[in-house]
Amino acid sequence: SESTFKRNNKSNMGSFKKIIMACSIATSCFVLEPIILGSTQYLSRFFSRKIEDKIDLEKTLEIEMRKLGMNKKVNATFGLYTGAKKVKRGEYFLTLLKGERVVDLRHELYHIYDNHCEDTLFIRRENLVNELKYLWIYEPQATIYSLIGLKL
């Protein structure tokens, strides 16, 4: 009957609107999260001290590791990229571009602290699911720690 058609149609429109709303929110988050966190991290560089040389890097690394309560072995140097990686069990390597700041060191150090380097997803982001986990879980955690010191 016509009233049944209207009820079903209205019900379907409500479901359709919910799907559109959910997709809109997900898309907004997908686009806005990296922009907001990335912008905040970029702007924080203006308020973060520049790491001047290898000695300064090692001293700052020691201070920041103490703040995190880390007892892992981390070697740090200046190199061609900024990043952190696991060398072998319990040993890590952190590289910073020359001219990076304390906020950048804190970011990479948090990846080591929170065992992101242990996860193969951190190392091999071969598919969309792995890439999203990296972008939506690991990067925001490290960024938030580097900015305000909150361990998530």
mmCIF file of all heavy atoms in Angstrom, residues 93-125:
data_model
loop_
_atom_site.group_PDB
_atom_site.id
_atom_site.type_symbol
_atom_site.label_atom_id
_atom_site.label_comp_id
_atom_site.label_asym_id
_atom_site.label_seq_id
_atom_site.Cartn_x
_atom_site.Cartn_y
_atom_site.Cartn_z
ATOM 1 N N PHE A 93 68.018 3.321 16.799
ATOM 2 C CA PHE A 93 68.795 4.355 16.135
ATOM 3 C C PHE A 93 67.861 5.491 15.776
ATOM 4 O O PHE A 93 66.810 5.275 15.169
ATOM 5 C CB PHE A 93 69.458 3.774 14.886
ATOM 6 C CG PHE A 93 70.436 4.701 14.240
ATOM 7 C CD1 PHE A 93 71.646 4.969 14.848
ATOM 8 C CD2 PHE A 93 70.146 5.294 13.024
ATOM 9 C CE1 PHE A 93 72.555 5.827 14.255
ATOM 10 C CE2 PHE A 93 71.048 6.146 12.426
ATOM 11 C CZ PHE A 93 72.251 6.416 13.040
ATOM 12 N N LEU A 94 68.231 6.691 16.165
ATOM 13 C CA LEU A 94 67.433 7.877 15.906
ATOM 14 C C LEU A 94 68.262 8.831 15.063
ATOM 15 O O LEU A 94 69.409 9.118 15.399
ATOM 16 C CB LEU A 94 67.069 8.516 17.241
ATOM 17 C CG LEU A 94 66.013 9.593 17.270
ATOM 18 C CD1 LEU A 94 65.282 9.533 18.596
ATOM 19 C CD2 LEU A 94 66.593 10.950 17.058
ATOM 20 N N THR A 95 67.695 9.277 13.964
ATOM 21 C CA THR A 95 68.393 10.191 13.057
ATOM 22 C C THR A 95 67.601 11.483 12.936
ATOM 23 O O THR A 95 66.383 11.458 12.809
ATOM 24 C CB THR A 95 68.514 9.571 11.649
ATOM 25 O OG1 THR A 95 69.075 8.276 11.751
ATOM 26 C CG2 THR A 95 69.383 10.407 10.756
ATOM 27 N N LEU A 96 68.316 12.588 12.988
ATOM 28 C CA LEU A 96 67.690 13.897 12.787
ATOM 29 C C LEU A 96 68.403 14.640 11.675
ATOM 30 O O LEU A 96 69.621 14.532 11.541
ATOM 31 C CB LEU A 96 67.780 14.751 14.062
ATOM 32 C CG LEU A 96 67.024 14.295 15.299
ATOM 33 C CD1 LEU A 96 67.295 15.248 16.461
ATOM 34 C CD2 LEU A 96 65.540 14.204 15.027
ATOM 35 N N LEU A 97 67.641 15.377 10.903
ATOM 36 C CA LEU A 97 68.257 16.289 9.952
ATOM 37 C C LEU A 97 68.982 17.380 10.734
ATOM 38 O O LEU A 97 68.548 17.765 11.819
ATOM 39 C CB LEU A 97 67.188 16.944 9.072
ATOM 40 C CG LEU A 97 66.557 16.081 8.008
ATOM 41 C CD1 LEU A 97 65.303 16.756 7.460
ATOM 42 C CD2 LEU A 97 67.553 15.812 6.896
ATOM 43 N N LYS A 98 70.073 17.868 10.199
ATOM 44 C CA LYS A 98 70.791 18.976 10.832
ATOM 45 C C LYS A 98 69.830 20.162 10.946
ATOM 46 O O LYS A 98 69.088 20.449 10.016
ATOM 47 C CB LYS A 98 71.994 19.346 9.958
ATOM 48 C CG LYS A 98 73.015 20.160 10.660
ATOM 49 C CD LYS A 98 74.037 19.262 11.292
ATOM 50 C CE LYS A 98 75.243 20.092 11.678
ATOM 51 N NZ LYS A 98 75.854 19.560 12.870
ATOM 52 N N GLY A 99 69.809 20.788 12.097
ATOM 53 C CA GLY A 99 68.942 21.945 12.300
ATOM 54 C C GLY A 99 67.584 21.607 12.897
ATOM 55 O O GLY A 99 66.764 22.497 13.109
ATOM 56 N N GLU A 100 67.345 20.312 13.175
ATOM 57 C CA GLU A 100 66.076 19.937 13.796
ATOM 58 C C GLU A 100 66.026 20.471 15.221
ATOM 59 O O GLU A 100 67.034 20.902 15.775
ATOM 60 C CB GLU A 100 65.907 18.414 13.808
ATOM 61 C CG GLU A 100 65.710 17.820 12.427
ATOM 62 C CD GLU A 100 64.321 18.019 11.852
ATOM 63 O OE1 GLU A 100 63.766 19.133 11.944
ATOM 64 O OE2 GLU A 100 63.797 17.065 11.283
ATOM 65 N N ARG A 101 64.867 20.404 15.797
ATOM 66 C CA ARG A 101 64.624 20.995 17.108
ATOM 67 C C ARG A 101 64.274 19.935 18.139
ATOM 68 O O ARG A 101 64.033 18.782 17.796
ATOM 69 C CB ARG A 101 63.522 22.033 16.986
ATOM 70 C CG ARG A 101 63.931 23.103 15.973
ATOM 71 C CD ARG A 101 62.970 24.232 15.878
ATOM 72 N NE ARG A 101 63.471 25.255 14.986
ATOM 73 C CZ ARG A 101 64.325 26.221 15.331
ATOM 74 N NH1 ARG A 101 64.786 26.300 16.556
ATOM 75 N NH2 ARG A 101 64.726 27.117 14.451
ATOM 76 N N VAL A 102 64.233 20.338 19.390
ATOM 77 C CA VAL A 102 63.938 19.407 20.482
ATOM 78 C C VAL A 102 62.583 18.734 20.257
ATOM 79 O O VAL A 102 62.427 17.537 20.510
ATOM 80 C CB VAL A 102 63.999 20.117 21.852
ATOM 81 C CG1 VAL A 102 63.557 19.192 22.975
ATOM 82 C CG2 VAL A 102 65.403 20.650 22.116
ATOM 83 N N VAL A 103 61.601 19.462 19.754
ATOM 84 C CA VAL A 103 60.275 18.888 19.513
ATOM 85 C C VAL A 103 60.363 17.712 18.525
ATOM 86 O O VAL A 103 59.641 16.725 18.658
ATOM 87 C CB VAL A 103 59.268 19.970 19.037
ATOM 88 C CG1 VAL A 103 59.563 20.450 17.635
ATOM 89 C CG2 VAL A 103 57.842 19.489 19.159
ATOM 90 N N ASP A 104 61.268 17.782 17.562
ATOM 91 C CA ASP A 104 61.447 16.696 16.587
ATOM 92 C C ASP A 104 62.096 15.481 17.255
ATOM 93 O O ASP A 104 61.704 14.342 16.991
ATOM 94 C CB ASP A 104 62.303 17.177 15.412
ATOM 95 C CG ASP A 104 61.698 18.388 14.725
ATOM 96 O OD1 ASP A 104 60.512 18.315 14.346
ATOM 97 O OD2 ASP A 104 62.400 19.407 14.590
ATOM 98 N N LEU A 105 63.075 15.732 18.105
ATOM 99 C CA LEU A 105 63.712 14.651 18.855
ATOM 100 C C LEU A 105 62.685 13.954 19.746
ATOM 101 O O LEU A 105 62.614 12.724 19.790
ATOM 102 C CB LEU A 105 64.864 15.195 19.700
ATOM 103 C CG LEU A 105 65.508 14.198 20.661
ATOM 104 C CD1 LEU A 105 66.359 13.194 19.896
ATOM 105 C CD2 LEU A 105 66.331 14.909 21.703
ATOM 106 N N ARG A 106 61.878 14.732 20.440
ATOM 107 C CA ARG A 106 60.846 14.170 21.323
ATOM 108 C C ARG A 106 59.865 13.303 20.536
ATOM 109 O O ARG A 106 59.453 12.247 20.995
ATOM 110 C CB ARG A 106 60.090 15.293 22.044
ATOM 111 C CG ARG A 106 60.909 15.986 23.113
ATOM 112 C CD ARG A 106 60.232 17.256 23.624
ATOM 113 N NE ARG A 106 58.848 17.048 24.045
ATOM 114 C CZ ARG A 106 58.463 16.836 25.294
ATOM 115 N NH1 ARG A 106 59.369 16.800 26.262
ATOM 116 N NH2 ARG A 106 57.198 16.666 25.595
ATOM 117 N N HIS A 107 59.502 13.755 19.355
ATOM 118 C CA HIS A 107 58.569 13.012 18.501
ATOM 119 C C HIS A 107 59.141 11.636 18.148
ATOM 120 O O HIS A 107 58.496 10.606 18.337
ATOM 121 C CB HIS A 107 58.284 13.823 17.226
ATOM 122 C CG HIS A 107 57.373 13.145 16.267
ATOM 123 N ND1 HIS A 107 56.036 13.423 16.204
ATOM 124 C CD2 HIS A 107 57.599 12.202 15.325
ATOM 125 C CE1 HIS A 107 55.473 12.674 15.277
ATOM 126 N NE2 HIS A 107 56.411 11.925 14.715
ATOM 127 N N GLU A 108 60.358 11.617 17.643
ATOM 128 C CA GLU A 108 60.976 10.352 17.231
ATOM 129 C C GLU A 108 61.265 9.461 18.435
ATOM 130 O O GLU A 108 61.115 8.245 18.363
ATOM 131 C CB GLU A 108 62.258 10.611 16.433
ATOM 132 C CG GLU A 108 62.023 11.338 15.124
ATOM 133 C CD GLU A 108 60.987 10.664 14.228
ATOM 134 O OE1 GLU A 108 60.901 9.423 14.219
ATOM 135 O OE2 GLU A 108 60.257 11.389 13.530
ATOM 136 N N LEU A 109 61.654 10.057 19.530
ATOM 137 C CA LEU A 109 61.935 9.285 20.732
ATOM 138 C C LEU A 109 60.663 8.613 21.264
ATOM 139 O O LEU A 109 60.707 7.487 21.747
ATOM 140 C CB LEU A 109 62.544 10.201 21.800
ATOM 141 C CG LEU A 109 63.221 9.536 22.978
ATOM 142 C CD1 LEU A 109 64.332 8.596 22.521
ATOM 143 C CD2 LEU A 109 63.791 10.595 23.909
ATOM 144 N N TYR A 110 59.530 9.270 21.118
ATOM 145 C CA TYR A 110 58.281 8.669 21.577
ATOM 146 C C TYR A 110 57.940 7.422 20.760
ATOM 147 O O TYR A 110 57.400 6.459 21.296
ATOM 148 C CB TYR A 110 57.120 9.672 21.528
ATOM 149 C CG TYR A 110 55.898 9.115 22.223
ATOM 150 C CD1 TYR A 110 55.799 9.165 23.611
ATOM 151 C CD2 TYR A 110 54.882 8.499 21.517
ATOM 152 C CE1 TYR A 110 54.700 8.626 24.275
ATOM 153 C CE2 TYR A 110 53.785 7.961 22.166
ATOM 154 C CZ TYR A 110 53.692 8.025 23.540
ATOM 155 O OH TYR A 110 52.622 7.478 24.188
ATOM 156 N N HIS A 111 58.257 7.442 19.465
ATOM 157 C CA HIS A 111 58.035 6.237 18.657
ATOM 158 C C HIS A 111 58.799 5.050 19.254
ATOM 159 O O HIS A 111 58.287 3.929 19.302
ATOM 160 C CB HIS A 111 58.489 6.453 17.206
ATOM 161 C CG HIS A 111 57.543 7.260 16.378
ATOM 162 N ND1 HIS A 111 56.221 6.934 16.211
ATOM 163 C CD2 HIS A 111 57.751 8.372 15.630
ATOM 164 C CE1 HIS A 111 55.646 7.803 15.400
ATOM 165 N NE2 HIS A 111 56.552 8.699 15.049
ATOM 166 N N ILE A 112 60.007 5.295 19.716
ATOM 167 C CA ILE A 112 60.807 4.230 20.340
ATOM 168 C C ILE A 112 60.207 3.859 21.698
ATOM 169 O O ILE A 112 59.999 2.683 21.988
ATOM 170 C CB ILE A 112 62.280 4.668 20.493
ATOM 171 C CG1 ILE A 112 62.915 4.893 19.114
ATOM 172 C CG2 ILE A 112 63.064 3.645 21.312
ATOM 173 C CD1 ILE A 112 64.271 5.566 19.150
ATOM 174 N N TYR A 113 59.928 4.866 22.513
ATOM 175 C CA TYR A 113 59.386 4.645 23.860
ATOM 176 C C TYR A 113 58.117 3.787 23.835
ATOM 177 O O TYR A 113 57.967 2.856 24.614
ATOM 178 C CB TYR A 113 59.107 5.994 24.529
ATOM 179 C CG TYR A 113 58.247 5.886 25.757
ATOM 180 C CD1 TYR A 113 58.804 5.502 26.972
ATOM 181 C CD2 TYR A 113 56.875 6.151 25.705
ATOM 182 C CE1 TYR A 113 58.017 5.391 28.113
ATOM 183 C CE2 TYR A 113 56.085 6.035 26.834
ATOM 184 C CZ TYR A 113 56.653 5.657 28.030
ATOM 185 O OH TYR A 113 55.875 5.533 29.154
ATOM 186 N N ASP A 114 57.198 4.104 22.938
ATOM 187 C CA ASP A 114 55.899 3.433 22.919
ATOM 188 C C ASP A 114 55.890 2.187 22.026
ATOM 189 O O ASP A 114 54.834 1.686 21.660
ATOM 190 C CB ASP A 114 54.806 4.408 22.472
ATOM 191 C CG ASP A 114 53.434 4.005 22.967
ATOM 192 O OD1 ASP A 114 53.330 3.433 24.075
ATOM 193 O OD2 ASP A 114 52.452 4.247 22.243
ATOM 194 N N ASN A 115 57.073 1.701 21.693
ATOM 195 C CA ASN A 115 57.246 0.459 20.935
ATOM 196 C C ASN A 115 56.663 0.493 19.522
ATOM 197 O O ASN A 115 56.342 -0.540 18.957
ATOM 198 C CB ASN A 115 56.685 -0.745 21.705
ATOM 199 C CG ASN A 115 57.406 -0.950 23.009
ATOM 200 O OD1 ASN A 115 58.636 -0.895 23.059
ATOM 201 N ND2 ASN A 115 56.664 -1.153 24.073
ATOM 202 N N HIS A 116 56.535 1.667 18.945
ATOM 203 C CA HIS A 116 56.060 1.743 17.563
ATOM 204 C C HIS A 116 57.050 1.072 16.619
ATOM 205 O O HIS A 116 56.646 0.479 15.618
ATOM 206 C CB HIS A 116 55.855 3.195 17.133
ATOM 207 C CG HIS A 116 54.838 3.916 17.946
ATOM 208 N ND1 HIS A 116 54.639 5.272 17.828
ATOM 209 C CD2 HIS A 116 53.962 3.495 18.898
ATOM 210 C CE1 HIS A 116 53.678 5.650 18.667
ATOM 211 N NE2 HIS A 116 53.268 4.584 19.324
ATOM 212 N N CYS A 117 58.330 1.155 16.942
ATOM 213 C CA CYS A 117 59.364 0.560 16.094
ATOM 214 C C CYS A 117 59.346 -0.965 16.138
ATOM 215 O O CYS A 117 59.951 -1.613 15.286
ATOM 216 C CB CYS A 117 60.745 1.060 16.504
ATOM 217 S SG CYS A 117 60.948 2.829 16.334
ATOM 218 N N GLU A 118 58.674 -1.522 17.125
ATOM 219 C CA GLU A 118 58.573 -2.979 17.245
ATOM 220 C C GLU A 118 57.539 -3.535 16.268
ATOM 221 O O GLU A 118 57.571 -4.698 15.915
ATOM 222 C CB GLU A 118 58.138 -3.374 18.661
ATOM 223 C CG GLU A 118 58.983 -2.800 19.771
ATOM 224 C CD GLU A 118 60.403 -3.302 19.764
ATOM 225 O OE1 GLU A 118 60.623 -4.492 19.497
ATOM 226 O OE2 GLU A 118 61.305 -2.493 20.019
ATOM 227 N N ASP A 119 56.595 -2.710 15.893
ATOM 228 C CA ASP A 119 55.481 -3.122 15.051
ATOM 229 C C ASP A 119 55.915 -3.096 13.591
ATOM 230 O O ASP A 119 56.411 -2.086 13.107
ATOM 231 C CB ASP A 119 54.298 -2.169 15.273
ATOM 232 C CG ASP A 119 53.016 -2.659 14.658
ATOM 233 O OD1 ASP A 119 53.060 -3.537 13.778
ATOM 234 O OD2 ASP A 119 51.959 -2.150 15.053
ATOM 235 N N THR A 120 55.717 -4.196 12.895
ATOM 236 C CA THR A 120 56.105 -4.236 11.479
ATOM 237 C C THR A 120 55.319 -3.219 10.660
ATOM 238 O O THR A 120 55.769 -2.797 9.608
ATOM 239 C CB THR A 120 55.905 -5.643 10.876
ATOM 240 O OG1 THR A 120 54.555 -6.038 11.090
ATOM 241 C CG2 THR A 120 56.859 -6.642 11.480
ATOM 242 N N LEU A 121 54.147 -2.802 11.156
ATOM 243 C CA LEU A 121 53.383 -1.780 10.445
ATOM 244 C C LEU A 121 54.156 -0.463 10.396
ATOM 245 O O LEU A 121 54.025 0.308 9.456
ATOM 246 C CB LEU A 121 52.036 -1.533 11.132
ATOM 247 C CG LEU A 121 51.053 -2.672 11.171
ATOM 248 C CD1 LEU A 121 49.777 -2.234 11.874
ATOM 249 C CD2 LEU A 121 50.735 -3.168 9.790
ATOM 250 N N PHE A 122 54.933 -0.203 11.450
ATOM 251 C CA PHE A 122 55.713 1.030 11.507
ATOM 252 C C PHE A 122 56.800 1.006 10.426
ATOM 253 O O PHE A 122 57.102 2.014 9.814
ATOM 254 C CB PHE A 122 56.352 1.170 12.893
ATOM 255 C CG PHE A 122 57.065 2.470 13.107
ATOM 256 C CD1 PHE A 122 56.356 3.618 13.381
ATOM 257 C CD2 PHE A 122 58.439 2.536 13.036
ATOM 258 C CE1 PHE A 122 57.004 4.817 13.594
ATOM 259 C CE2 PHE A 122 59.106 3.731 13.248
ATOM 260 C CZ PHE A 122 58.379 4.874 13.520
ATOM 261 N N ILE A 123 57.333 -0.165 10.197
ATOM 262 C CA ILE A 123 58.439 -0.322 9.260
ATOM 263 C C ILE A 123 57.931 -0.523 7.831
ATOM 264 O O ILE A 123 58.402 0.102 6.899
ATOM 265 C CB ILE A 123 59.318 -1.520 9.678
ATOM 266 C CG1 ILE A 123 59.851 -1.287 11.097
ATOM 267 C CG2 ILE A 123 60.454 -1.745 8.702
ATOM 268 C CD1 ILE A 123 60.281 -2.552 11.793
ATOM 269 N N ARG A 124 56.949 -1.417 7.684
ATOM 270 C CA ARG A 124 56.455 -1.773 6.354
ATOM 271 C C ARG A 124 54.992 -1.380 6.229
ATOM 272 O O ARG A 124 54.108 -2.121 6.597
ATOM 273 C CB ARG A 124 56.619 -3.266 6.134
ATOM 274 C CG ARG A 124 58.074 -3.680 6.143
ATOM 275 C CD ARG A 124 58.258 -5.157 6.109
ATOM 276 N NE ARG A 124 57.334 -5.827 5.209
ATOM 277 C CZ ARG A 124 57.061 -7.116 5.280
ATOM 278 N NH1 ARG A 124 57.620 -7.852 6.185
ATOM 279 N NH2 ARG A 124 56.224 -7.664 4.433
ATOM 280 N N ARG A 125 54.775 -0.207 5.679
ATOM 281 C CA ARG A 125 53.403 0.272 5.497
ATOM 282 C C ARG A 125 52.996 -0.007 4.051
ATOM 283 O O ARG A 125 52.885 0.897 3.247
ATOM 284 C CB ARG A 125 53.331 1.750 5.850
ATOM 285 C CG ARG A 125 53.762 2.014 7.286
ATOM 286 C CD ARG A 125 53.538 3.436 7.719
ATOM 287 N NE ARG A 125 54.049 4.453 6.844
ATOM 288 C CZ ARG A 125 55.215 5.072 6.989
ATOM 289 N NH1 ARG A 125 56.009 4.747 7.988
ATOM 290 N NH2 ARG A 125 55.576 6.014 6.170
#
